[in-house]
Amino acid sequence: MVSAFLIDAINNPTKVVQELFEEHTGDINQFPTVVARHFSDVFLNSDDTLREVLPLDVNHPPESFTQRSLVRFHGMVQDTSPSPEMYLASLNENKCGGWGISQNTPASEWPSSFDYCDLRETTTLWAVTVPGQTDWKTEELTDRSHCGSSSSQSPPQPHKFPVPNAPHIGVQVKIYDNEAAQLLKATDVVTFIGILTSESLDSETDSSPMVPSLHVLCHKLQSTGNAPHTEELATVREDLIKWIADEALGGDEDAAQWLLLELSAKVYTRTTPLLPPSLTLSRFPSPTLSSPALPTLHHVLSDLLPQYITVPLSLDLLNKENFSPESKDEDLHSGYLQVPQGTTLLLTENGVREGKLVEKGIMNIRAVQEVMNAQTLEYSFPFSKFSFSTDIVTIVLCDGRKSAFFQTGFTVPLETKPLLKDNLYKPRDQIKIPDTVKLAAYRSFLAAAKCCFGTVQVAEETSRHIQEDFVRQRQEDSSITADDLIHLMKVARLLAASMLEQEVTVDIWEKSKRLDASRKKRSP
C-alpha cells in the first residue's frame, strides 16, 4: 500500500493533494497539517524512500525539472523575514487552491466571487544550499543513481549565499503548515519535499524577477542527535592524529592533537557558558610562489568534516565582503558567518599584507571575535540589531607568533619535521587518502567525539584531586589564577571527549596538564 502511495506522490503530487482535499471533511484550517502528515508518512520515515525523490541541488538545478515536479531540497534557511503570502484555499468544484495550484488554474475554474474566509496565509522563506557542506556529505545524502549536470545559469539572489561566487541553489520556500513553519529559524538545516515551480519573487510587483519556488508538502529539521560510538572507534584516535600530522601539519603530532581537541568541541551550555574554544596554529609558513595557495589542511578537513569552510583572509576581503548578515531594502544579505551550527571555519592569515582596515573590515573582525568569544552573531536591520546563537568551531592559521586580528582560546606554535615541511602545501592528488573504511571510521570518530563533549562530567574523586592540585600549584606559584584552572578544565573536557570518554578522570586531568605544559614550552 505504501508503495502505491509512493509512486502516486512522486509521479503526480498535485493529484494527491487534490484527492486529499476532496476526502477532507474537517476544519479547512487543519488541511495543511493533513497534507504534511500524509507526505511525511510516505517519505520521511525511511532514508530509502526519501532518496526516491529527485534532489534539487547544483547537479540537478531548477531548470532541469519540468514545472510542478516533486523534488527534495536539503538546504539552510537563510531568511525568515519575507512577508506571508495570501492564497485562496478553495476553488470551484471543490478544487484545492494551495501549493501553487491556483497559479496554474484557468480563470474559468476560479469562483466568480469568493468568501474572504477562504483566504489563507502561507509562510515564505528563502533557503540556500547548505554552505560549507563537503562533497562527501553531499554524496552521502544523494542517491548515486540520480545523475545530473551542474547548472550553467547564475543562481538568483546570489547575495543571500554566505560564500561569494560559490555555486549553489537559492529557492523561495512556501510552507502551508504555518504552525510547523514558525519553528524554523535562520541557519537551520532542513530537508524540504515539495512541488517545484517558477514564480515572481514579489507577487505585488510587476517587475519582480522570477525565481525557483518550492511549495512544501512536508519537511524535516536536521537532527544533531547522538552519534553512536564503539570500542573499535576509540582505537582510531592515534591513527587519525598521525595521519593529520604527517599529511597536513609537517609531522607535528602535538599540533594535530590540539586540532583534534578543537574539532571535538561544540556549544554545551550557554547559561554557564561552556563554548568551543578557538585555536590558532601559529608559525604556520606562508605558501611559496610555486606551491598551492590553500594549505593541505584545507583538503584534509574537507575529507573529514560534513560542514567546513576556508576563508583566505586579506585586507581586500575584510574591507569589502560581508561577514555578518545585513538587511538592505527589506532583503537580508548574507555573510561568511551565517552558517549552520556545527560548521568548522578555517581562517588563513597568510594572504594579509600591509595596508589599512576600513570601518567595514574592523566590524568584520569584531564579528568573528564575537563568534569566538560568545558564539553569537549580530544581524543588522534598518532600525535595530539582533544577536543570534551560533555554534562554529574556528581555527586560525598565521605565520607570526600569534594571530594579527584575533584572540583565540589556544595558540599552538607549529613545529614541523624537516622532511615533512613541504607537506603543508601540496595538491590534493598528492595527499595519501586512507581507504574508504578507515576514512569512514575517522568521520564517525569525530562525530562521536563532538557528541561526547556535551556529556563529559567530572567525577567527585577527580574534583577533589583537582581542587587539591590547584591549591598546591597556587602555593608554588602565586601567578596562577582561577582563569588558569578554568582553562585547564576546558582542556580536560576536550581531551576526554577526544578519547570518547564521558568522564574526566584523574589520569585525563594529569594528561591535560602535561599537554598544556608542552604547548607553553614551544617557541612562541
Side-chain angles (χ1 to χ4, degrees):
M1 198 67 161
V2 173
S3 298
F5 284 151
L6 179 65
I7 293 169
D8 289 344
I10 291 174
N11 291 339
N12 197 339
T14 303
K15 180 183 176 183
V16 174
V17 171
Q18 179 58 37
E19 290 173 348
L20 290 172
F21 189 76
E22 291 171 358
E23 295 170 2
H24 183 66
T25 56
D27 184 355
I28 195 171
N29 290 318
Q30 297 303 313
F31 182 62
T33 305
V34 171
V35 171
R37 187 183 304 122
H38 174 83
F39 283 93
S40 294
D41 288 344
V42 173
F43 292 114
L44 299 184
N45 290 331
S46 163
D47 288 341
D48 290 336
T49 53
L50 182 62
R51 288 192 176 95
E52 291 292 326
V53 184
L54 285 171
L56 175 65
D57 55 30
V58 292
N59 293 318
H60 308 83
E63 62 268 22
S64 66
F65 293 93
T66 58
Q67 279 283 91
R68 302 196 63 75
S69 292
L70 184 77
V71 300
R72 60 181 161 97
F73 180 56
H74 185 71
M76 181 192 81
V77 176
Q78 188 271 332
D79 188 1
T80 61
S81 64
S83 300
E85 289 190 5
M86 304 297 295
Y87 71 98
L88 193 58
S90 179
L91 305 177
N92 281 347
E93 300 178 357
N94 196 32
K95 189 171 183 179
C96 178
W99 290 270
I101 295 173
S102 59
Q103 283 93 323
N104 290 348
T105 300
S108 60
E109 295 185 23
W110 277 69
S112 55
S113 62
F114 59 86
D115 190 337
Y116 281 97
C117 292
D118 284 339
L119 287 175
R120 296 292 183 274
E121 281 188 351
T122 176
T123 300
T124 304
L125 314 169
W126 188 265
V128 296
T129 303
V130 178
Q133 182 170 285
T134 47
D135 290 345
W136 68 266
K137 185 61 179 179
T138 299
E139 290 176 7
E140 189 179 88
L141 294 168
T142 305
D143 191 330
R144 292 178 183 270
S145 64
H146 297 323
C147 57
S149 58
S150 59
S151 173
S152 60
Q153 298 186 17
S154 299
Q157 308 287 90
H159 58 273
K160 298 181 82 66
F161 193 68
V163 185
N165 304 315
H168 70 278
I169 298 295
V171 62
Q172 181 176 237
V173 174
K174 298 184 178 182
I175 305 177
Y176 294 79
D177 186 351
N178 291 307
E179 187 174 339
Q182 298 310 309
L183 300 177
L184 300 180
K185 59 186 184 299
T187 73
D188 279 347
V189 175
V190 187
T191 298
F192 299 102
I193 292 181
I195 299 170
L196 183 65
T197 65
S198 179
E199 297 176 12
S200 171
L201 183 61
D202 183 354
S203 57
E204 298 180 1
T205 306
D206 293 336
S207 60
S208 181
M210 301 294 285
V211 298
S213 299
L214 189 62
H215 298 268
V216 175
L217 299 165
C218 61
H219 68 271
K220 179 172 69 173
L221 191 64
Q222 177 173 279
S223 171
T224 55
N226 293 332
H229 68 268
T230 61
E231 290 184 9
E232 290 79 11
L233 264 187
T235 63
V236 309
R237 184 180 188 273
E238 298 308 315
D239 196 25
L240 174 58
I241 288 172
K242 181 168 176 52
W243 179 65
I244 293 174
D246 289 349
E247 291 302 315
L249 296 178
D252 189 341
E253 293 189 20
D254 272 6
Q257 182 163 198
W258 279 101
L259 180 65
L260 181 59
L261 265 60
E262 180 71 13
L263 297 178
S264 303
K266 68 174 184 177
V267 173
Y268 174 48
T269 174
R270 294 181 188 273
T271 47
T272 306
L274 185 52
L275 310 174
S278 46
L279 170 69
T280 294
L281 292 177
S282 62
R283 300 300 183 195
F284 200 101
S286 297
T288 63
L289 292 176
S290 60
S291 66
L294 287 173
T296 311
L297 186 60
H298 161 80
H299 303 299
V300 166
L301 293 179
S302 294
D303 280 333
L304 292 174
L305 305 173
Q307 290 165 202
Y308 162 78
I309 293 174
T310 292
V311 183
L313 295 179
S314 66
L315 289 182
D316 190 57
L317 182 142
L318 286 166
N319 288 334
K320 292 180 179 179
E321 300 294 348
N322 291 333
F323 277 63
S324 302
E326 181 181 4
S327 181
K328 300 176 182 177
D329 300 322
E330 299 184 356
D331 182 15
L332 187 65
H333 291 229
S334 192
Y336 276 111
L337 298 175
Q338 193 189 23
V339 294
Q341 296 194 2
T343 299
T344 297
L345 208 61
L346 180 68
L347 305 172
T348 64
E349 295 185 1
N350 308 102
V352 177
R353 299 293 179 263
E354 288 188 11
K356 182 180 180 182
L357 272 176
V358 300
E359 182 180 3
K360 184 168 188 172
I362 294 170
M363 296 303 292
N364 282 335
I365 289 172
R366 285 178 180 171
V368 176
Q369 192 67 59
E370 185 66 16
V371 167
M372 290 179 174
N373 293 346
Q375 287 294 335
T376 58
L377 177 63
E378 195 170 74
Y379 286 46
S380 297
F381 297 92
F383 304 106
S384 58
K385 293 184 178 182
F386 296 96
S387 288
F388 290 82
S389 297
T390 64
D391 188 354
I392 301 171
V393 165
T394 313
I395 303 160
V396 180
L397 302 184
C398 69
D399 55 8
R401 57 184 294 270
K402 63 179 182 178
S403 168
F405 301 119
F406 311 112
Q407 292 184 336
T408 57
F410 306 129
T411 297
V412 180
L414 192 68
E415 293 184 354
T416 60
K417 296 178 181 178
L419 294 178
L420 295 175
K421 187 174 182 180
D422 291 342
N423 284 359
L424 296 175
Y425 294 92
K426 60 183 178 182
R428 183 179 182 84
D429 58 11
Q430 292 183 16
I431 299 173
K432 296 176 183 175
I433 304 294
D435 61 56
T436 304
V437 174
K438 184 174 286 188
L439 194 56
Y442 288 169
R443 293 165 181 166
S444 297
F445 173 84
L446 289 171
K450 197 174 280 283
C451 287
C452 272
F453 183 67
T455 62
V456 171
Q457 302 294 322
V458 181
E460 187 175 338
E461 177 191 353
T462 307
S463 182
R464 285 197 301 271
H465 175 85
I466 291 172
Q467 290 177 31
E468 293 168 359
D469 193 26
F470 178 64
V471 170
R472 183 169 58 254
Q473 289 181 63
R474 283 287 303 270
Q475 291 172 344
E476 296 172 356
D477 185 353
S478 60
S479 67
I480 292 176
T481 67
D483 288 339
D484 295 305
L485 176 61
I486 293 170
H487 168 84
L488 275 175
M489 282 300 302
K490 188 171 290 187
V491 175
R493 284 182 179 276
L494 288 167
L495 184 60
S498 78
M499 298 169 70
L500 303 188
E501 299 288 348
Q502 295 184 336
E503 186 177 284
V504 175
T505 62
V506 172
D507 182 53
I508 289 175
W509 170 254
E510 293 298 329
K511 285 181 179 178
S512 301
K513 287 168 55 182
R514 290 194 296 271
L515 183 65
D516 200 52
S518 174
R519 176 185 68 86
K520 290 177 178 178
K521 286 180 182 177
R522 293 190 164 209
S523 301

